[in-house]
Amino acid sequence: MSVLYLVRHGQASFGTEDYDRLSTRGKDQSHALGTSLRRSGMLPARITSGAMKRQLQTARYASGAADWGTPLDTDPGWDEFNAAELINALPEDDPDAKTDSRAFQRLLEKASTRWASGGHDADYSETFGEFTRRIDGALDRAVDSLRSGESAVVVSSSGAIAWAAARLLDGGFPQWLALNRVTVNSGVTKIVSGSSGKTLVAFNEHGHLPRSWITYR
């Protein structure tokens, strides 16, 4: 069998002008992940990141801490959906959502439900169906690139990873929304692939983090 490890990026810079960069805590989380993977002896044949800054930074910090010499590839198929666009399309606003992560999450879930309904597709540059097909394609490419016995690490974001997990669980939007809500920064989701296809064997593992380092945004 081959093994694919999907890693959520470290904590980004929520509440600042540039969300798409790691915070100091996000760098610590990424380093802790790489250190843990190095101790486990895991040596991936491939390391892939989405094209977003926070994803690439996480991949580089984790790879450095793990002391991997494997080149880093980029696949924009693993990019996150545009949360700002979803929220801006919602016919309501909450000023607290700019700095309060809980208020932001409530607004995002309302916006995501509207997005996935299919009734407002003209409001979005990428529909929910296009997003899920993009993630399906990225997942298939990542698995198909591995030979038997090889492993790979992919650094992505909560929405993308939650959809990959929901797909393998034969879930739909409600499953995706529930998984997306609880994905931890730098958490690891494990997928194995063999003669019976792709199987989700672990979701959101984050034992490499001290409790005080666990974040969701």
Side-chain angles (χ1 to χ4, degrees):
M1 293 189 296
S2 58
V3 183
L4 183 66
Y5 298 90
L6 302 182
V7 174
R8 188 190 177 193
H9 63 78
Q11 184 188 54
S13 297
F14 179 75
T16 71
E17 292 184 0
D18 183 10
Y19 171 76
D20 191 22
R21 58 185 173 86
L22 292 185
S23 66
T24 299
R25 175 64 74 221
K27 294 174 184 178
D28 291 340
Q29 291 165 336
S30 303
H31 190 276
L33 171 65
T35 300
S36 176
L37 293 175
R38 181 185 64 201
R39 289 172 178 165
S40 75
M42 197 265 280
L43 182 63
R46 289 176 179 78
I47 305 171
T48 302
S49 169
M52 294 176 145
K53 188 189 303 181
R54 60 189 183 273
Q55 299 169 341
L56 288 163
Q57 289 177 329
T58 299
R60 289 169 181 148
Y61 275 102
S63 295
D67 199 24
W68 293 329
T70 311
L72 174 62
D73 297 322
T74 303
D75 182 354
W78 287 108
D79 286 1
E80 184 63 295
F81 63 90
N82 190 332
E85 181 182 67
L86 268 60
I87 290 175
N88 289 338
L90 193 66
E92 64 177 274
D93 190 21
D94 182 352
D96 291 339
K98 294 180 180 179
T99 55
D100 184 322
S101 60
R102 292 185 179 180
F104 177 85
Q105 186 64 32
R106 286 193 297 270
L107 204 61
L108 179 61
E109 292 194 8
K110 288 183 180 180
S112 297
T113 300
R114 183 180 189 271
W115 178 46
S117 71
H120 310 277
D121 284 355
D123 292 346
Y124 308 105
S125 59
E126 181 180 50
T127 67
F128 183 71
E130 289 168 342
F131 166 72
T132 59
R133 288 191 291 274
R134 172 165 63 80
I135 302 306
D136 287 345
L139 176 61
D140 290 343
R141 284 193 299 275
V143 171
D144 292 346
S145 71
L146 292 173
R147 294 178 294 182
S148 179
E150 288 186 332
S151 64
V153 172
V154 170
V155 180
S156 186
S157 294
S158 59
I161 294 170
W163 179 255
R167 168 191 167 185
L168 296 178
L169 294 172
D170 292 325
F173 172 76
Q175 178 98 72
W176 172 77
L177 191 65
L179 295 176
N180 190 29
R181 185 183 298 134
V182 299
T183 308
V184 171
N185 291 118
S186 80
V188 181
T189 293
K190 182 178 179 181
I191 296 168
V192 299
S193 179
S195 58
S196 60
K198 305 179 190 69
T199 303
L200 179 72
V201 296
F203 175 73
N204 202 29
E205 200 286 317
H206 50 277
H208 57 282
L209 297 177
R211 180 175 296 182
S212 60
W213 287 17
I214 295 174
T215 60
Y216 298 89
R217 182 60 51 200

